[in-house]
Amino acid sequence: MTTHSTHKKIDEAKMFSAIDIGSTKVVALSGYRNERGEIVVVGHGVVNSLNLDIDKEKEQLNIENIRTAILAAVDTAHKEAGFFCKKVVVGAAGRFMRSAAKRIDFMRPLPFDPITAKEIDQQFTQKFSDLVEYNEKILHLKILNYTVDEEFYSDAPIGKTGSSVSMSVCIIKIKSDYLQQLRSLMEQCGMEVAEFMLEPLASSAAVLTENERNAGCTLVDIGGGTTDMALYENGNLQFAEVIPLAGNCITNDIRQVHIINALDGGKIQYAAEDWKIAEQIKIKCGKCMADEADAPRRIKIGASAHREALEISLFEVAQTIQNRMDEIVAAVHGMIQYSKCSTATEKGIILTGGGAELKDIAYFFEQKLHCPVRVAVPNQVEVRSKTFDCHNPRYATVVGLLMRASEIHAQTYVPPMETPEAEVVKKSAPQVSTPASAQVQTPVVTQAPVTAETSKTPEVKAQPEVTVKPEVTVKPEVKTEPKPEPPKVTVTTKKEKTKKPGLLSNFGKKMSQAANDFAGAVFADTENDELKN
């Protein structure tokens, strides 16, 4: 990643930003759109922490820890880019989310009259309040299909006749208290929230192809605290859910089974140190399948102030990881069955997130679920940086958030008006008086300025904080322009292009950079070499 000084001077009004608040890290990105329509990332900040999750006792965010991490990440991105836009798109965590499939039914008093878009809009507006319960906000809402007298329609049945109409709706709700806490937290950090975006939707935007969405697929984002799922069919999100099992569970299993138990119970004051050692074991030596582990190989962990040296079998570590992965895969399979999406695995399962870097994970899912599986990196990204590699599953969410920020910026950004050359000449030319009889008054036509408000399609406002787009209004006389392809994200630097990691065959060759932040053990293959903390 090159610094701002290597770029030509960028108009700050063209820049936009995004912040991803995960369970174990905060990532801030700043970028702009170049002349070719690509997104160029000019600033990034990553802060790793194990204490960013919610306070389970109080059921709220760890405000102080998150605030410190946000300020540090934004400061790093600001120093690199020279500027950080304070209006940001923020990821909304899946652990506060609830997905539901609803149906809106209504009877028509005049069944032989054609169905109109206004009629559908009115019925949807009347029944919209029934979709929201106390302390909930709608973050995503999409009408999937329609039924008129038991006849199925994928689009709005404008012009059709019938006595009963049903609308199938995919709705994703999130706790209002959580959004309020997050908005207040961003304001304390000097930020303005342009939009809250559900994290699995952001990851989907960054890694899924249009073909995968249309044919049907399942996105599985394995993070630190949760595993988020998003199921697509016919190009639309059909179902989303969060599983409270992820990478932190694997790390904790290794810590409890192979470190704490080996210390005859361990001590609570050394939990953070033991956690770092367990995280290193998972990243450097962990495998999803015990049969693939090197059974004779053992690793040594050097002694420290509170314990003696340890020796751990990698085969036993792989067995511990496999037991937890069996549970995660079973939960994913259960959610796919519960969603009743017939084509959810037609194009297979797409894995992303930091947990997808675990060795053999794609092969493990394939063997358990009997469908194609690939590990996905942001496919809208071109990277020439060795300091920040967007071609990494762990950054899928923040890249998707930045793509959404670019869309919002394009809707609101008004380029500066340039004075036409003819007008300049006219103003500079000497004025010549003309007889009144020869003067002809030309009517002045005033054109209203085109703004984001006038160019937007009508939207249904669920609550003041969340904009809901039901997409139910279909007018035959209005031609819908084809949806533009997502902009390509480019990270520029003077250094050579970093080679993209592979999907199945090359996955696992690239070690996680998070291990460099730890002061844990250094591993050895021989019995004579010891590991020191």
Side-chain angles (χ1 to χ4, degrees):
M1 172 65 65
T2 56
T3 59
H4 181 68
S5 59
T6 62
H7 296 273
K8 63 181 181 180
K9 186 174 179 57
I10 303 171
D11 184 3
E12 295 178 355
K14 295 182 179 180
M15 297 183 68
F16 42 83
S17 305
I19 296 179
D20 173 29
I21 304 174
S23 302
T24 57
K25 69 181 183 301
V26 170
V27 184
L29 290 187
S30 182
Y32 72 100
R33 194 190 300 262
N34 63 15
E35 295 80 1
R36 297 185 298 274
E38 301 170 336
I39 297 176
V40 181
V41 179
V42 292
H44 82 282
V46 181
V47 176
N48 295 292
S49 176
L50 296 175
N51 300 314
L52 292 176
D53 212 342
I54 60 173
D55 187 335
K56 296 181 180 180
E57 294 182 358
K58 299 181 180 179
E59 294 186 353
Q60 62 183 12
L61 298 173
N62 285 327
I63 301 296
E64 293 301 325
N65 295 335
I66 298 178
R67 181 192 296 112
T68 302
I70 291 175
L71 293 175
V74 170
D75 182 65
T76 302
H78 184 278
K79 289 179 179 178
E80 185 175 34
F83 175 77
F84 190 87
C85 180
K86 300 298 184 181
K87 191 172 184 179
V88 296
V89 174
V90 181
R95 57 184 173 270
F96 298 98
M97 174 199 75
R98 189 164 69 92
S99 176
K102 299 289 186 179
R103 292 191 67 86
I104 297 178
D105 304 314
F106 64 92
M107 301 298 295
R108 305 184 67 232
L110 301 175
F112 296 104
D113 287 355
I115 299 173
T116 64
K118 182 179 180 181
E119 180 182 6
I120 294 178
D121 287 342
Q122 288 176 345
Q123 292 294 332
F124 183 87
T125 303
Q126 291 175 5
K127 300 179 181 297
F128 178 77
S129 59
D130 297 336
L131 303 177
V132 187
E133 299 179 6
Y134 172 74
N135 194 27
E136 288 183 336
K137 299 289 184 182
I138 294 180
L139 206 60
H140 174 83
L141 187 148
K142 174 73 175 179
I143 297 181
L144 303 176
N145 52 66
Y146 302 80
T147 303
V148 180
D149 290 346
E150 299 184 357
E151 186 173 355
F152 179 85
Y153 295 92
S154 57
D155 297 324
I158 306 301
K160 306 296 182 181
T161 59
S163 58
S164 64
V165 178
S166 297
M167 293 179 280
S168 179
V169 181
C170 174
I171 181 171
I172 297 177
K173 297 178 282 188
I174 201 163
K175 289 185 177 181
S176 302
D177 292 346
Y178 163 70
L179 289 183
Q180 184 60 36
Q181 289 179 11
L182 195 56
R183 185 182 297 277
S184 175
L185 176 61
M186 298 304 298
E187 291 176 353
Q188 294 175 28
C189 296
M191 304 290 166
E192 178 186 355
V193 178
E195 181 178 288
F196 289 112
M197 185 176 187
L198 194 67
E199 290 177 350
L201 295 182
S203 300
S204 300
V207 303
L208 295 184
T209 64
E210 183 177 357
N211 184 34
E212 288 171 336
R213 289 190 183 92
N214 293 332
C217 66
T218 300
L219 176 80
V220 179
D221 187 342
I222 306 176
T226 61
T227 296
D228 299 333
M229 295 180 59
L231 281 69
Y232 286 84
E233 191 176 74
N234 299 322
N236 296 319
L237 177 70
Q238 303 285 329
F239 179 79
E241 193 53 78
V242 56
I243 301 172
L245 300 171
N248 287 350
C249 296
I250 298 175
T251 302
N252 191 55
D253 290 344
I254 296 174
R255 182 177 72 95
Q256 290 185 342
V257 174
H258 302 285
I259 299 178
I260 292 182
N261 287 354
L263 301 176
D264 296 327
K267 296 183 179 180
I268 191 65
Q269 59 264 37
Y270 301 113
E273 179 182 343
D274 295 338
W275 181 282
K276 292 179 181 180
I277 296 174
E279 183 75 7
Q280 281 192 338
I281 294 174
K282 180 184 74 173
I283 294 172
K284 285 181 172 288
C285 308
K287 290 188 176 182
C288 291
M289 305 184 71
D291 293 341
E292 300 295 327
D294 188 0
R297 187 182 174 192
R298 304 178 70 85
I299 59 174
K300 292 182 179 180
I301 302 175
S304 68
H306 75 285
R307 57 166 170 74
E308 298 178 353
L310 298 176
E311 189 174 286
I312 302 174
S313 168
L314 290 184
F315 177 76
E316 294 176 355
V317 170
Q319 285 182 321
T320 300
I321 296 176
Q322 180 174 329
N323 292 337
R324 180 62 72 177
M325 286 304 304
D326 282 334
E327 188 177 1
I328 294 176
V329 171
V332 169
H333 181 260
M335 287 301 173
I336 294 175
Q337 297 297 318
Y338 176 76
S339 69
K340 298 181 180 179
C341 294
S342 59
T343 63
T345 58
E346 193 74 20
K347 280 294 181 180
I349 293 177
I350 292 84
L351 302 176
T352 193
E357 295 182 290
L358 194 63
K359 296 180 182 66
D360 302 328
I361 190 170
Y363 181 69
F364 184 81
F365 268 80
E366 284 181 346
Q367 295 299 308
K368 296 294 183 180
L369 300 181
H370 307 289
C371 66
V373 179
R374 73 179 180 94
V375 176
V377 299
N379 56 13
Q380 302 296 330
V381 181
E382 181 179 350
V383 182
R384 303 188 184 101
S385 172
K386 291 184 179 180
T387 59
F388 178 65
D389 187 3
C390 289
H391 281 296
N392 191 308
R394 66 176 57 218
Y395 297 125
T397 299
V398 72
V399 169
L401 295 175
L402 191 67
M403 293 170 62
R404 178 56 184 159
S406 71
E407 295 175 357
I408 296 177
H409 180 269
Q411 296 172 359
T412 57
Y413 174 70
V414 179
M417 298 296 294
E418 297 182 0
T419 305
E421 184 178 354
E423 183 177 349
V424 175
V425 174
K426 181 178 178 181
K427 289 183 178 180
S428 59
Q431 297 182 356
V432 180
S433 58
T434 306
S437 59
Q439 294 180 357
V440 179
Q441 293 185 352
T442 304
V444 179
V445 180
T446 303
Q447 183 177 0
V450 179
T451 64
E453 296 296 330
T454 59
S455 61
K456 288 184 177 179
T457 56
E459 299 178 349
V460 179
K461 300 288 185 178
Q463 298 290 342
E465 295 186 4
V466 182
T467 301
V468 180
K469 302 179 181 180
E471 302 181 8
V472 298
T473 302
V474 179
K475 298 182 179 180
E477 67 276 11
V478 179
K479 295 183 178 181
T480 305
E481 297 182 356
K483 184 176 180 181
E485 292 293 330
K488 191 172 183 179
V489 183
T490 305
V491 182
T492 57
T493 184
K494 290 183 179 179
K495 298 183 180 180
E496 296 180 358
K497 183 174 181 179
T498 304
K499 185 177 180 181
K500 296 183 180 179
L503 298 181
L504 295 178
S505 61
N506 294 330
F507 175 72
K509 294 182 180 179
K510 182 177 177 182
M511 292 302 181
S512 172
Q513 297 299 326
N516 296 330
D517 299 332
F518 297 141
V522 179
F523 300 96
D525 292 330
T526 64
E527 296 181 357
N528 296 327
D529 297 329
E530 291 189 351
L531 302 173
K532 297 182 179 181
N533 293 323

